[in-house]
Amino acid sequence: MAGFRRHATYRQATLAGLVTNTVFGFLRYYVFLAAAGTAGQVAGYDRTQLATYVWVGQGLLAVIAIWGWTELADRIRTGEIAADLLRPVHPVTSYLAADLGRAGFAALFRLMPPVLVGVLLFEVYLPRRAATLPLAVLSVLLALVVCFGCRYLVNATAYWLQDVRGPMTLWMLAGNVLGGLYFPLSFLPGGLEALLRYGTPFPSLLQIPLDVLVEREPMPAQLGLVAVQAGWAVALLALCRLVQRRAERRLVVQGG
């Protein structure tokens, strides 16, 4: 709840981000409509699925928080991380709990408004299978954990590099392009799409949750995609703990 209360105080930032995401939602949707052309579909998505993909995706950006989190890196650079290491809770667990609280706030105030705009102004795709909605919620939760793991690892490079602007730039570029924000990965050749979908964690950020929601695949295939997400979530959290343990062996705080 601490993460929820903390982010609830940033009302102006929340409003500014909401307006920005909504404006870019219009731009993205009309670009995708142009790609669909007179055929009314592209890469297996029809117009209604594209509308859902765009507007839910715009809301999920704030929930999974691909961009800009450097709190851990900043605390490493200043030495404040020493206080985190003295607490009885492992840093990975502590930061994940705070991130889940932040995501809860974002789900209410950054996800729902763009979705309502899409529903009111466009014809969107609504799930037709009873199991789709709970599976999509699970997929979003796993996407949040995967994104947290990636962000934590990028921030943890500060233990060795001090300055994380380079890794952060690479992470944001890869997350945006390979995560399905700029375009659905199904726009790519089939072999390359499969390699990215199953061989990297990036499609688990946005592409898989949105594909589950618009029911692009049969239910068995969707269950398989969510299982891929779960595998990446477990692997990344384990890697975060391993990197944290290795970093603590070499950490030198100013004055000590």
Side-chain angles (χ1 to χ4, degrees), residues 52 56 60 63-64 100 103-104 107-108 111-112 115 127 129-146 204-215 219 222-223 225-227 229-230 233:
T52 299
V56 177
L60 286 181
V63 174
I64 66 171
L100 290 174
L108 291 176
L111 169 62
M112 298 309 298
V115 172
R129 305 172 191 147
T132 294
L133 194 55
L135 187 63
V137 172
L138 174 60
S139 183
V140 170
L141 288 174
L142 291 172
L144 172 60
V145 175
V146 170
S204 295
L205 304 176
L206 280 174
Q207 182 74 57
I208 291 178
L210 294 175
D211 278 352
V212 169
L213 185 61
V214 302
E215 298 176 334
M219 182 55 69
Q222 295 198 149
L223 291 172
L225 291 175
V226 174
Q229 281 185 288

Side-chain angles (χ1 to χ4, degrees), residues 71-79 81 155-156 158-159 162 251:
E71 181 178 348
L72 175 62
D74 294 338
R75 293 179 68 82
I76 294 170
R77 181 176 53 81
T78 61
I81 188 65
N155 275 252
Y159 283 115
Q162 294 298 310
L251 178 65

Side-chain angles (χ1 to χ4, degrees), residues 56-253:
V56 177
Q58 289 300 110
L60 286 181
L61 284 175
V63 174
I64 66 171
I66 293 179
W67 300 324
W69 184 73
T70 59
E71 181 178 348
L72 175 62
D74 294 338
R75 293 179 68 82
I76 294 170
R77 181 176 53 81
T78 61
E80 294 175 296
I81 188 65
D84 297 337
L85 301 180
L86 294 175
R87 295 170 181 157
V89 181
H90 194 281
V92 174
T93 303
S94 174
Y95 279 101
L96 176 58
D99 203 51
L100 290 174
R102 176 206 57 76
F105 174 80
L108 291 176
F109 298 99
R110 296 289 301 275
L111 169 62
M112 298 309 298
V115 172
L116 289 176
V117 169
V119 170
L120 292 174
L121 298 182
F122 302 98
E123 183 182 1
V124 300
Y125 183 90
L126 300 177
R128 298 167 186 172
R129 305 172 191 147
T132 294
L133 194 55
L135 187 63
V137 172
L138 174 60
S139 183
V140 170
L141 288 174
L142 291 172
L144 172 60
V145 175
V146 170
C147 189
F148 167 80
C150 292
R151 287 186 279 115
Y152 193 97
L153 291 173
V154 172
N155 275 252
T157 60
Y159 283 115
W160 290 269
L161 302 178
Q162 294 298 310
D163 189 341
V164 298
R165 285 177 293 182
M168 184 63 66
T169 299
L170 292 175
W171 149 248
M172 291 174 61
L173 179 62
N176 291 340
V177 175
L178 304 181
L181 174 61
Y182 291 164
F183 55 86
L185 295 182
S186 54
F187 283 25
L188 300 174
L192 180 57
E193 178 196 359
L195 176 63
L196 293 173
R197 188 182 294 265
Y198 300 108
T200 72
F202 301 111
S204 295
L205 304 176
L206 280 174
Q207 182 74 57
I208 291 178
L210 294 175
D211 278 352
V212 169
L213 185 61
V214 302
E215 298 176 334
R216 188 169 178 272
E217 305 284 350
M219 182 55 69
Q222 295 198 149
L223 291 172
L225 291 175
V226 174
V228 170
Q229 281 185 288
W232 278 114
V234 171
L236 286 168
L237 288 181
L239 184 57
C240 287
R241 286 180 171 268
L242 175 62
V243 169
Q244 182 65 38
R245 186 166 61 248
R246 292 290 180 88
E248 290 173 10
R249 295 177 182 175
R250 71 174 305 279
L251 178 65
V252 177
V253 178

Side-chain angles (χ1 to χ4, degrees), residues 4-66:
F4 188 102
R5 290 194 301 269
R6 175 185 176 186
H7 286 270
T9 61
Y10 303 137
R11 298 183 181 88
Q12 290 182 338
T14 298
L15 180 60
L18 177 60
V19 172
T20 301
N21 283 357
T22 302
V23 170
F24 275 92
F26 284 99
L27 296 176
R28 290 184 63 216
Y29 180 59
Y30 284 113
V31 168
F32 285 172
L33 281 185
T38 56
Q41 64 176 5
V42 58
Y45 300 90
D46 62 27
R47 293 176 182 269
T48 61
Q49 289 174 316
L50 288 174
T52 299
Y53 187 100
V54 168
W55 289 107
V56 177
Q58 289 300 110
L60 286 181
L61 284 175
V63 174
I64 66 171
I66 293 179

